[in-house]
């Protein structure tokens, strides 16, 4: 179904998509794992790594949003109903929203709890806020909720991609996977 004339995402968009996906797939389990650890040097190191990668992911997401704003993605398949297209656009917007909210709420939670951010143990970052434990607790809840929402949206995104590939047999998944661009099972 797909050939060299199939509209494709740009190489930059594909690279950023999979790099951010890898980051999310690493950060969620790391966050769950480190949360329940007893206070120790290992836990502090994992929190520091988690925060640093979160800042890096936030930067990559902004780059991805800029790239998307300046490089139009391929059109959705013509066979998709108007309702499906609205759902696809809504899901895309929701994914971006929660990809932004997750690191922002996590960073603000840490800042309000008075925990310093030292990027990858090298570059100390000034806190954007004064410590306030009550507000920190609020951002802890927001961070957890945004992560659950993000996990749900990512799962739905994956399921929708598989539905398009195996049931609808369109090119929605293929155009984001360069190694499948020329052939289809």
């Amino acid at each position: 179904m797909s050939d060299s004339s199939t509209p494709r995402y740009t190489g930059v968009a594909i690279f950023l998509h999979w790099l951010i996906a890898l980051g999310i797939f690493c950060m969620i389990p790391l966050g769950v794992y480190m949360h329940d650890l007893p206070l120790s040097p290992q836990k502090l190191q994992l929190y520091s790594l988690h925060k640093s990668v979160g800042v890096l992911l936030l930067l990559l997401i902004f780059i991805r949003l800029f790239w998307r704003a300046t490089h139009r993605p391929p059109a959705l398949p013509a066979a998709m109903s108007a309702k499906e297209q609205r759902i696809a656009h809504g899901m895309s917007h929701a994914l971006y929203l929660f990809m932004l909210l997750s690191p922002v709420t996590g960073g603000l939670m840490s800042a309000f709890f008075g925990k310093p951010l030292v990027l990858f143990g090298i570059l100390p970052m000034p806190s954007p806020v004064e410590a306030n434990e009550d507000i920190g607790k609020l951002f802890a809840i927001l961070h957890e909720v945004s992560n659950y929402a993000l996990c749900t949206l990512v799962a739905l995104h994956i399921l929708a991609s598989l539905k398009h590939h195996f049931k609808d047999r369109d090119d929605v998944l293929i155009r984001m996977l360069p190694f499948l661009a020329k052939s289809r099972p």
Side-chain angles (χ1 to χ4, degrees):
M1 177 177 270
S2 180
D3 60 28
S4 61
S5 66
T6 298
R8 312 249 329 121
Y9 284 92
T10 65
V12 171
I14 292 169
F15 175 75
L16 289 170
H17 175 274
W18 291 109
L19 187 59
I20 292 167
L22 177 64
I24 291 169
F25 281 115
C26 291
M27 290 290 279
I28 297 293
L30 176 60
V32 170
Y33 171 73
M34 68 184 194
H35 182 267
D36 293 330
L37 288 177
L39 185 59
S40 68
Q42 179 195 17
K43 181 174 184 166
L44 296 176
Q45 287 175 336
L46 291 176
Y47 265 89
S48 180
L49 175 64
H50 187 79
K51 290 190 286 186
S52 294
V53 173
V55 170
L56 181 60
L57 278 174
L58 185 61
L59 176 63
L60 289 171
I61 293 161
F62 278 121
I63 292 169
R64 177 68 175 103
L65 284 168
F66 174 79
W67 190 262
R68 185 173 175 118
T70 59
H71 296 80
R72 188 177 187 89
L76 294 171
M80 282 180 71
S81 71
K83 179 181 177 182
E84 284 179 307
Q85 289 187 24
R86 282 192 306 276
I87 291 169
H89 287 298
M91 284 290 297
S92 179
H93 288 100
L95 271 168
Y96 280 114
L97 173 66
F98 284 98
M99 284 190 298
L100 291 169
L101 279 176
S102 183
V104 168
T105 57
L108 287 171
M109 170 187 65
S110 184
F112 278 114
F113 280 136
K115 307 297 183 197
L117 169 61
V118 181
L119 286 177
F120 297 102
I122 299 169
L123 182 62
M125 303 295 292
S127 178
V129 298
E130 288 189 32
N132 183 319
E133 192 170 326
D134 291 334
I135 297 175
K137 289 177 183 176
L138 172 65
F139 275 98
I141 293 167
L142 292 174
H143 187 58
E144 185 174 357
V145 168
S146 67
N147 286 327
Y148 280 121
L150 181 58
C151 288
T152 301
L153 291 167
V154 166
L156 291 171
H157 179 69
I158 292 167
L159 290 172
S161 298
L162 294 172
K163 176 227 179 235
H164 279 282
H165 188 73
F166 292 109
K167 183 177 183 283
D168 299 342
R169 300 198 54 78
D170 61 31
D171 67 351
V172 167
L173 176 63
I174 290 172
R175 59 194 181 170
M176 189 51 87
L177 297 174
F179 56 87
L180 290 179
K182 300 224 176 0
S183 65
R184 182 178 171 86

